[in-house]
């Protein structure tokens, strides 16, 4: 059997895409391997979101060129493929910089991989066409064994692309316009996953809460309606979704957090900054107070919800006062977790042209202050769990023998000592201790948990 090694960078959508490419190639007789050394086909599934992410690809490609040469000296051919957002953004430029690359394939062309690989045998190939091809309709469904090997939690992309054009962001250019998969297609995929043993699905989209897919009644359904339908799929116990935009957080979706027990009390809702001036310059189309009011509504529907966000420090023109506004927003909302980034100018985005770029040293200092604050809140959130009893879905072996690891509804990692429970069980766990990255607890009988 031929072997393929797939390495995904960037967001969860790339993880999902990597799996779907493995499925396409599996149907072509490729088996996945965890190391590049024994792979006949090496596929880098790349990310373009920040300069460092894009830069990593070229470093990696340099190493892979050497591997390819070493294998060739042994009489073995290696095909080198670059997929993902760098492929989309840079296209043929990638092969100019690294001639060892055989094929460059953008995120909307993965269903064409077999044909493109055949072409790439004769000459170098680039395919970065954006839809309207129905990629999802043409990707083969994963086999039950492949699903199980990936675990009992699964990603399902339901929406792709973005029409928001935040001034700093490459995604609208690398993933194209917003597109939602039809409900029937999503339901069929989730049913297949559930039949293979998946219990926990995370619905993915660059703007997942802008989902507006064709419903089973021919009308357009929003994300809330889709989740109501997926909650009916036997075996699906937990539903999450990411990433959402504040402007698309409608009342139906907020109500789903109150009404659907399968919808987990966790919401990743990036705000990016706290200053209205910066939010406007970022083209976010919401203010800090609008975000606060939205959070109030979400908490009214689901008081225990764990909130998460993304932040950018040092957007062009960000003053000390603007940055203080970000800290103030963080203090007001108190996130259970957050990702923090230094602004990185990206070619082709409006913000990269601004002349008011912030000094690197200032960015560093702001990043540290923001990280310290969100870390404090994260620890507080985790410590507040001690003494509480929550349902944990056991997903994998723990760090030490006799331990199993799983997640709380709030997406926290938990380790329990147990000889009697199995992966795939949902058990009630009393949290006894909060470590820096994991909670520790003990299983208790469900009757005693209430
Ligand atoms: N679609 C999602 C996430 C997009 S990328 C959303 O709208 O929230 C994930 C995160 O990367 C963004 O939320 C943002 O915080 C960060 N990011 C995007 N472009 C960036 C840039 N040029 N520099 C630094 N961080 C960036
Ligand atoms: Fe990028 Fe903004 Fe779209 Fe998110 S909403 S993907 S940050 S342009
Ligand atoms: Fe990166 Fe593309 Fe995702 S740029 S964050 S891999 S959408």
């Amino acid at each position: 059997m031929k072997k393929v090694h797939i390495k995904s960078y960037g967001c969860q959508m790339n993880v999902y895409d990597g799996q779907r490419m493995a499925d396409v190639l599996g149907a072509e007789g490729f088996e996945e391997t965890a190391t590049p050394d024994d792979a006949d086909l090496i596929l880098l599934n790349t990310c373009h979101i920040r300069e460092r992410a894009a830069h990593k690809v070229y470093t990696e490609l340099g190493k892979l060129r050497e591997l390819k040469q070493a294998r060739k000296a042994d009489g073995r051919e290696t095909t080198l493929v670059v997929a993902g957002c760098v492929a989309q953004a840079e296209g043929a430029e990638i092969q100019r910089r690294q001639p060892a690359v055989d094929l460059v394939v953008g995120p909307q062309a993965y269903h064409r991989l077999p044909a493109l690989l055949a072409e790439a045998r004769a000459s170098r190939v680039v395919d970065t066409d954006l839809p309207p091809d129905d990629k999802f309709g043409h990707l083969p469904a994963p086999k039950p064994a492949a699903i199980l090997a990936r675990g009992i939690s699964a990603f399902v992309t339901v929406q792709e692309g973005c029409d928001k054009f935040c001034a700093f962001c490459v995604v609208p250019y690398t993933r194209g316009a917003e597109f939602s998969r039809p409900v029937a297609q999503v339901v069929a995929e989730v049913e297949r996953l559930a039949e293979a043993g998946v219990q926990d699905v995370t619905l993915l989209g660059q703007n997942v809460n802008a989902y507006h897919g064709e419903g089973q009644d021919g009308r357009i359904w929003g994300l809330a309606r889709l989740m109501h339908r997926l909650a009916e799929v036997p075996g699906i116990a937990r539903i999450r979704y990411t990433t959402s935009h504040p402007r698309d957080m409608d009342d139906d979706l907020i109500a789903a957090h109150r009404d659907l027990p399968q919808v987990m009390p966790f919401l990743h809702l990036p705000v990016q900054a706290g200053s209205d001036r910066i939010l406007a310059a970022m083209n976010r189309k919401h203010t800090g107070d609008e975000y606060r009011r939205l959070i109030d509504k979400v908490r009214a529907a689901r008081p225990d919800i764990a909130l998460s966000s993304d932040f950018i420090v040092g957007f062009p023109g960000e003053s000390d006062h603007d940055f203080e506004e970000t800290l103030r927003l963080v203090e007001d909302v108190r996130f259970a977790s957050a990702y923090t980034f230094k602004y990185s100018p990206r070619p082709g985005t409006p913000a990269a042209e601004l002349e008011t770029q912030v000094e690197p040293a200032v960015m560093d200092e702001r990043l540290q202050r923001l990280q310290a604050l969100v870390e404090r809140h994260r620890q507080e959130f985790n410590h507040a769990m001690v003494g509480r009893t929550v349902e944990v879905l056991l997903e994998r072996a723990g760090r030490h023998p006799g331990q199993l690891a799983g997640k709380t509804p709030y997406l926290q990692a938990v380790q329990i000592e147990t000889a009697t429970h199995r992966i795939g069980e949902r058990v009630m766990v009393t949290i006894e201790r909060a470590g820096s990255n994991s909670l520790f607890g003990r299983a208790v009988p469900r009757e005693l948990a209430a």
Side-chain angles (χ1 to χ4, degrees), residues 27 29 34 37 102 152 155 180 197 234 265 316 320 337 339 350 370 389 421:
D37 307 275
D102 299 286
I152 56 172
F155 293 137
S180 298
D320 286 338
S337 63
Y339 297 93
L370 179 59
T389 300
H421 296 287

Side-chain angles (χ1 to χ4, degrees), residues 14 17 21 45-46 81-91 94 103-113 116 125-131 135 160 174-175:
N14 259 12
D17 286 346
M21 286 190 272
N45 190 15
T46 61
V81 179
V82 177
C85 289
V86 178
Q88 188 64 43
E90 298 188 1
I94 295 174
L103 168 62
V104 175
V105 53
Q108 302 306 339
Y110 295 156
H111 54 302
R112 290 196 290 269
L113 260 178
L116 293 168
V125 177
V126 177
D127 185 345
T128 51
D129 284 355
L130 289 174
K135 167 178 71 170
E160 214 178 351
T174 63
R175 294 279 171 163

Side-chain angles (χ1 to χ4, degrees), residues 59-383:
T59 318
E60 189 65 28
L61 284 175
K63 290 188 211 151
L64 293 175
R65 184 183 73 116
E66 286 175 23
L67 177 66
K68 185 171 170 169
Q69 283 169 344
R71 280 174 52 95
K72 192 164 176 79
D74 285 346
R76 295 178 300 171
E77 292 296 329
T78 316
T79 307
L80 201 51
V81 179
V82 177
C85 289
V86 178
Q88 188 64 43
E90 298 188 1
E93 172 65 17
I94 295 174
Q95 287 163 324
R96 267 195 290 278
R97 278 181 70 177
Q98 182 46 269
V101 173
D102 299 286
L103 168 62
V104 175
V105 53
Q108 302 306 339
Y110 295 156
H111 54 302
R112 290 196 290 269
L113 260 178
L116 293 168
L117 284 170
E119 261 183 72
R121 267 186 232 124
S123 65
R124 285 194 252 147
V125 177
V126 177
D127 185 345
T128 51
D129 284 355
L130 289 174
D133 243 30
D134 177 15
K135 167 178 71 170
F136 293 104
H138 291 95
L139 285 165
K143 302 253 178 334
I147 297 172
L148 263 189
R150 290 167 191 159
I152 56 172
S153 297
F155 293 137
V156 178
T157 293
V158 301
Q159 181 279 333
E160 214 178 351
C162 182
D163 298 340
K164 297 281 190 304
F165 291 92
C166 298
F168 49 81
C169 184
V170 292
V171 170
Y173 313 99
T174 63
R175 294 279 171 163
E178 249 176 42
F179 165 82
S180 298
R181 294 176 71 185
V183 172
Q185 211 185 66
V186 174
V187 171
E189 188 167 326
V190 171
E191 281 173 348
R192 216 185 151 85
L193 293 169
E195 278 160 24
V198 167
Q199 297 183 42
D200 174 338
V201 289
T202 301
L203 309 180
L204 299 180
Q206 269 90 24
N207 245 282
V208 72
N209 63 340
Y211 178 87
H212 56 282
E214 186 193 334
Q216 288 171 310
D217 55 3
R219 300 197 181 178
I220 296 298
W221 290 19
L223 185 65
R225 185 126 188 238
L226 175 68
M227 292 202 295
H228 274 270
R229 176 66 189 84
L230 296 178
E232 292 169 9
V233 175
I236 296 300
R238 294 183 162 193
I239 303 175
R240 304 176 193 278
Y241 57 96
T242 199
T243 295
S244 297
H245 192 288
R247 281 185 65 91
D248 296 314
M249 204 65 218
D250 64 24
D251 290 344
D252 288 349
L253 190 52
I254 294 173
H257 279 280
R258 180 192 62 213
D259 301 335
L260 275 176
Q262 290 89 344
V263 173
M264 290 291 103
F266 180 91
L267 175 62
H268 182 63
L269 193 64
V271 63
Q272 313 296 356
S275 146
D276 290 346
R277 204 175 63 84
I278 294 298
L279 286 168
M282 285 177 162
N283 195 29
R284 289 290 294 181
K285 299 199 171 78
H286 61 79
T287 64
D289 280 347
E290 277 163 357
Y291 186 85
R292 287 178 179 87
R293 278 199 292 277
L294 193 52
I295 296 299
D296 288 344
K297 267 166 91 174
V298 171
R299 280 190 166 136
R302 186 74 210 231
D304 63 336
I305 200 159
L307 295 164
S308 156
S309 184
D310 292 343
F311 291 93
I312 295 177
V313 299
F315 184 83
E318 186 187 68
S319 67
D320 286 338
H321 179 259
D322 291 320
F323 176 65
E324 296 296 332
E325 288 287 286
T326 296
L327 295 179
R328 191 166 69 83
L329 185 133
V330 173
E331 286 286 9
D332 289 348
V333 176
R334 307 186 81 83
F335 295 94
S337 63
Y339 297 93
T340 53
F341 307 104
K342 278 190 275 186
Y343 170 71
S344 169
R346 306 307 292 129
T349 60
E353 308 296 318
L354 298 172
E355 277 163 20
T356 45
Q357 305 288 328
V358 173
E359 290 294 322
V362 174
M363 271 202 237
D364 283 333
E365 198 246 349
R366 287 179 189 166
L367 185 72
Q368 275 179 26
R369 285 180 63 195
L370 179 59
Q371 280 178 341
L373 184 62
V374 299
E375 179 58 17
R376 203 178 80 214
H377 292 163
R378 189 176 75 89
Q379 297 294 350
E380 282 171 13
F381 186 84
N382 288 343
H383 279 95

Side-chain angles (χ1 to χ4, degrees), residues 399-447:
R399 283 184 211 148
H400 305 291
Q403 283 187 341
L404 290 178
K407 289 202 186 75
T408 68
Y410 312 102
L411 207 58
Q412 297 149 300
V414 187
Q415 308 263 339
I416 64 167
E417 306 271 348
T418 176
T420 48
H421 296 287
R422 297 281 164 265
I423 290 170
E425 274 183 66
R426 282 179 283 130
V427 294
M428 299 307 292
V429 171
T430 300
I431 306 298
E432 296 175 313
R433 188 163 68 80
S436 55
N437 287 310
S438 209
L439 303 175
F440 299 86
R442 115 188 103 77
V444 294
R446 197 168 278 266
E447 322 73 86

